[in-house]
Amino acid sequence: MKLWKDTFGHAQSRWQLAGWLLAFAFPVLALVVDKAASTIYAIFFLAGLWLLVRRRVERPDPLMQWVLVAFTAYFVVGVLSFFLGEQTRLGEKLLGRDIRFFGAVLCFAVVSMATLPPRLLRLSFIVAGVVTGGGSLIEVIADESGHTRASGETIAILFGHLSAASAMITATFALDSSGRRHISVWLGFLGFMTAVILSGTRGALVSILVVLAWLVVRWVARSAASSLRKTLIISGVTVLTAVAALLYSASDRATLLANEFGRIISSNSQLGEVAWPEPPACLNSRNFLEWYLDASEFQGRGEIRASITNADGLAAFGCSHDFAIHLENVSQHSLGWMYAPARSIPFNNEPRGEIIAKGNAQISMGDTPPEQREEFDTEGFARLKVVAAGANDPRFLVILEPDKEIKFVPFITVTGEYEFSWTISSIGARLAMWKSAIAAFRAAPILGRGAGSFPVSVGNFVAEGKVSPTIEKFDHAHNEILNVAAERGILGLLTLFGVYAAPFWLFYRRRDAFGLAGMAFVASIFLSGLTETIFNHSLGITYYCMLILLLASAPREAVDGREKSAITTTNNA
C-alpha cells in the first residue's frame, strides 16, 4: 500500500479510489473483454447522475464546455434527422448508440472529480497495450485455420482502428519519457501495434504512419538530440512512408483495371448487359476478353498459355463475334489454374454464374474442394452453369491438367454482373459506397435522409442500376464524413467536425504530454474515419468519449508548480 501511495498518491476517499481503479481498467479491458467498455461507462454515467441530483457537479472550464456542447449537438442533430427524415430500424439503433455522446456530460462530472494521477493513467495504457497485443496473439494462434483476424471484443476493422489510436497515445508518452519508463511505454506501443497488424486493418496502418510521422518530426524539432540521432529518426519515418505507399500499390492496379473496364463498356455496344427474363448476352468482344485476361490471376506449377482466339460456333449462343479465351497447359506434369476477375454477386449474394466453353477442365466458383468442382469435357461449345457450394467467392476458377486446354467466354445472367466487378475488392466497394453517400447527400443536403437511412439510399440506387448490388449488405458508407453527410446533412457535418475540433483544440491548449497524446488520439480517430465509420459502433463512441475525458482530466503542472485539473473550475455557488 505504501508503494501505491508513493507512486500514485493518496486517494482522499474510497469513492475516489474506486474512480481511479475504474479509469485504470477502462483502456485495459475495453478492447478485449466483452461489454467491459459499456459497463464501466454505465458506472460513470450513473455516478454522474447521482452527483447531479446531489448538486455536486463541478463546472468545466470554457474549453471543456465546448467539447461537451459538441458531443450534445451531435446527438441532437441525429435525433432531428431521424424524426424529420426516413425512420428505419437501424436509425433507432444508431440513436441508442449516439446517446453515449450526450451521456459523456455526466461521465465528465465523475472523471473531473476523480483527479486521476498522471502516473496511473500512463500505466493503464502500458498495461492496455500488453493485454491487447497479447490477447490478439492468443486469438490468432488459437485458430487452427490460420485465417483469423484479431478482433478482440468487436469486429476486426474497428478493433484495428481503436488499437491504432491507442498506439498513438503510448507513442506520445514514449517520446516524452526516459529510462526504464521509456522502455515500458514502448512495450505498450508494440502491444497495440501487434493488435493492429493482426487485425489486418490497412486503414489503421496508414493513420498510424501519418500521426507517428507528425509526432516524431515534432519531437525531433523540439529535442536536443544529436544530428546522427535526428538523421536516423527521419530516415525511419521515410521508410515508414514508403511502406504505406506499398500497402496501397495494389489499389492503383485495381483502379486502373476499373477505369479500363469502364472505357471498354462505354465503347462497345455489344457488351450491353441484359437482365432476366430476357435472353442473356455473351461477352465476347475482343477488348473485353483482353481486359479479362489482364485482370486474371494465373497460379500453379503448370505453364498456362493464354490468348484470344477465333472460335467458330459461338453465334448459336447469342454471341456477336467469334472470339474466345484460349487456355492451354503445356506442362507435362503439373496442374495450372486461373482465377477469373471477380463478378458482382447476384442472387442474394450467392455466387453463381455461367460461361460458354469447350475443352477439358475443372471449373468451380471460388476455391472449392475437388469433389465440388464441375468436370467439363466436350468437343463443342456448351453452356455451363456454376453455383458455389460452400464458398463465397465470386470468381471462376479454371483448373487445367497437364496437356489440356479450354476455350470459353463469359455469359451474362443479371444486370451489372460484370459492370461492377471491380467493387468486389474492399477498395472498390468503398468507392461505390462513397459514390452512393455523395448522391444521397445531394438529394437531401440540409438534414440528410435520416440517421440510419444509408442502406435505404443504396437500395434505391441499386434498383436504378447506378451502383453495384454487392454494397447492399453494408449499413454505412465506411467513411465517417460521407456517412454523416448522407444521413444528417450539413447540420450533421458541422456537429461532426465539432466532435473532432473541440477536443483537439482543448488538447492543443494544454501544451503537455497528455495534451499531445490527446491530439494524436483525435487525429488518429479522424484519419480512421476516412475509411471506416467509427461512430456507427457503440464501442467506437464509448472509447472515443471516455479516453478524451480521461486524458483531459489528468492534472498538469501549473505555473506556480502545483498540480491542477485541466478541465474544471470549482463551482463555489
Side-chain angles (χ1 to χ4, degrees):
M1 196 67 181
K2 184 177 182 301
L3 179 62
W4 171 278
K5 292 181 180 179
D6 292 341
T7 306
F8 305 117
H10 178 69
Q12 297 177 0
S13 67
R14 293 182 178 180
W15 291 109
Q16 187 181 45
L17 180 60
W20 288 3
L21 294 177
L22 285 173
F24 177 86
F26 184 85
V28 174
L29 304 178
L31 300 182
V32 293
V33 177
D34 188 32
K35 306 300 182 184
S38 296
T39 301
I40 296 175
Y41 175 92
I43 294 173
F44 276 112
F45 176 83
L46 293 174
L49 188 61
W50 181 80
L51 290 175
L52 181 65
V53 173
R54 296 290 300 273
R55 297 185 179 181
R56 296 180 58 185
V57 176
E58 294 184 342
R59 184 178 61 197
D61 76 351
L63 291 177
M64 193 63 201
Q65 288 179 21
W66 280 112
V67 173
L68 300 178
V69 167
F71 286 177
T72 303
Y74 184 82
F75 169 69
V76 171
V77 170
V79 173
L80 290 176
S81 69
F82 175 77
F83 286 105
L84 298 179
E86 190 105 22
Q87 298 184 16
T88 64
R89 178 60 179 164
L90 176 61
E92 295 176 4
K93 293 181 179 180
L94 289 180
L95 293 185
R97 300 166 187 169
D98 287 353
I99 200 172
R100 295 167 188 252
F101 276 114
F102 181 66
V105 177
L106 292 178
C107 292
F108 155 79
V110 181
V111 174
S112 63
M113 293 187 66
T115 314
L116 303 175
R119 289 185 179 180
L120 182 65
L121 195 54
R122 288 174 183 264
L123 179 62
S124 69
F125 283 101
I126 297 173
V127 176
V130 174
V131 170
T132 305
S136 302
L137 280 172
I138 294 173
E139 183 180 357
V140 172
I141 293 174
D143 179 60
E144 297 180 355
S145 67
H147 299 296
T148 295
R149 294 172 59 182
S151 58
E153 78 95 10
T154 182
I155 60 175
I157 187 170
L158 181 63
F159 178 71
H161 283 299
L162 297 183
S163 296
S166 303
M168 294 302 91
I169 294 176
T170 54
T172 304
F173 292 156
L175 294 173
D176 185 58
S177 59
S178 60
R180 293 182 179 178
R181 189 175 70 176
H182 178 79
I183 297 175
S184 64
V185 177
W186 278 117
L187 185 63
F189 171 78
L190 291 176
F192 280 124
M193 284 299 300
T194 300
V196 173
I197 294 171
L198 294 180
S199 72
T201 309
R202 291 172 295 176
L205 290 174
V206 173
S207 70
I208 283 177
L209 292 173
V210 173
V211 177
L212 188 59
W214 168 64
L215 288 174
V216 171
V217 170
R218 179 187 176 94
W219 176 72
V220 169
R222 297 180 62 181
S223 70
S226 65
S227 299
L228 176 61
R229 189 177 182 183
K230 291 182 179 181
T231 302
L232 290 175
I233 292 174
I234 294 175
S235 299
V237 173
T238 303
V239 171
L240 291 175
T241 305
V243 171
L246 290 175
L247 286 173
Y248 274 86
S249 62
S251 66
D252 294 336
R253 174 175 169 79
T255 303
L256 289 173
L257 289 174
N259 292 338
E260 177 64 12
F261 183 74
R263 184 189 66 78
I264 292 171
I265 287 291
S266 62
S267 62
N268 291 272
S269 60
Q270 65 267 31
L271 297 183
E273 299 190 358
V274 185
W276 292 111
E278 301 295 330
C282 179
L283 292 178
N284 72 328
S285 158
R286 187 179 186 90
N287 285 340
F288 174 82
L289 296 183
E290 288 176 351
W291 173 88
Y292 197 89
L293 278 181
D294 288 341
S296 299
E297 298 178 24
F298 296 92
Q299 302 179 22
R301 298 179 182 176
E303 183 181 349
I304 296 182
R305 293 182 181 176
S307 61
I308 309 299
T309 184
N310 293 326
D312 295 333
L314 289 174
F317 298 92
C319 297
S320 55
H321 296 281
D322 287 334
F323 295 125
I325 294 174
H326 181 209
L327 301 180
E328 181 181 6
N329 186 358
V330 298
S331 169
Q332 300 297 315
H333 307 287
S334 304
L335 289 176
W337 59 89
M338 181 197 81
Y339 275 111
R343 304 153 40 256
S344 302
I345 308 176
F347 305 112
N348 297 321
N349 292 339
E350 177 190 15
R352 59 189 297 182
E354 295 188 26
I355 61 174
I356 305 171
K358 76 172 182 178
N360 185 288
Q362 291 183 356
I363 301 177
S364 67
M365 190 68 67
D367 189 11
T368 55
E371 63 273 10
Q372 296 178 354
R373 297 169 183 162
E374 297 280 348
E375 292 284 351
F376 190 84
D377 188 3
T378 177
E379 295 181 357
F381 281 105
R383 285 177 59 178
L384 176 65
K385 296 182 180 180
V386 182
V387 179
N392 190 28
D393 192 334
R395 301 175 298 173
F396 284 114
L397 172 62
V398 180
I399 300 178
L400 288 174
E401 294 182 354
D403 203 29
K404 299 295 183 181
E405 62 180 326
I406 185 174
K407 294 181 180 180
F408 72 96
V409 293
F411 209 66
I412 292 176
T413 55
V414 294
T415 300
E417 186 169 356
Y418 282 93
E419 181 179 354
F420 301 111
S421 62
W422 55 275
T423 64
I424 296 298
S425 68
S426 61
I427 296 174
R430 278 172 168 76
L431 292 175
M433 286 184 278
W434 298 347
K435 175 183 176 182
S436 300
I438 293 172
F441 170 69
R442 288 174 175 172
I446 304 302
L447 266 177
R449 292 198 58 178
S453 64
F454 179 74
V456 177
S457 300
V458 170
N460 294 337
F461 295 146
V462 170
E464 296 169 3
K466 295 180 179 179
V467 297
S468 168
T470 59
I471 67 171
E472 281 190 289
K473 61 184 178 181
F474 299 107
D475 61 6
H476 56 84
H478 283 75
N479 181 293
E480 199 80 67
I481 296 173
L482 294 180
N483 195 75
V484 169
E487 296 187 348
R488 310 182 190 204
I490 294 175
L491 292 181
L493 283 176
L494 292 175
T495 58
L496 176 65
F497 289 137
V499 166
Y500 292 131
F504 191 89
W505 181 248
L506 178 141
F507 290 124
Y508 173 77
R509 293 295 299 272
R510 278 195 60 138
R511 302 185 183 279
D512 65 352
F514 287 98
L516 187 57
M519 292 167 63
F521 175 71
V522 174
S524 182
I525 292 294
F526 172 79
L527 292 172
S528 293
L530 299 179
T531 56
E532 174 63 11
T533 49
I534 306 296
F535 299 149
N536 256 48
H537 305 276
S538 298
L539 180 60
I541 298 174
T542 305
Y543 202 76
Y544 184 74
C545 291
M546 286 299 298
L547 259 60
I548 283 177
L549 296 182
L550 293 177
L551 291 171
S553 67
R556 65 179 177 183
E557 290 293 324
V559 176
D560 60 1
R562 293 176 299 172
E563 286 189 345
K564 70 175 185 177
S565 173
I567 61 174
T568 61
T569 57
T570 304
N571 182 6
N572 296 319

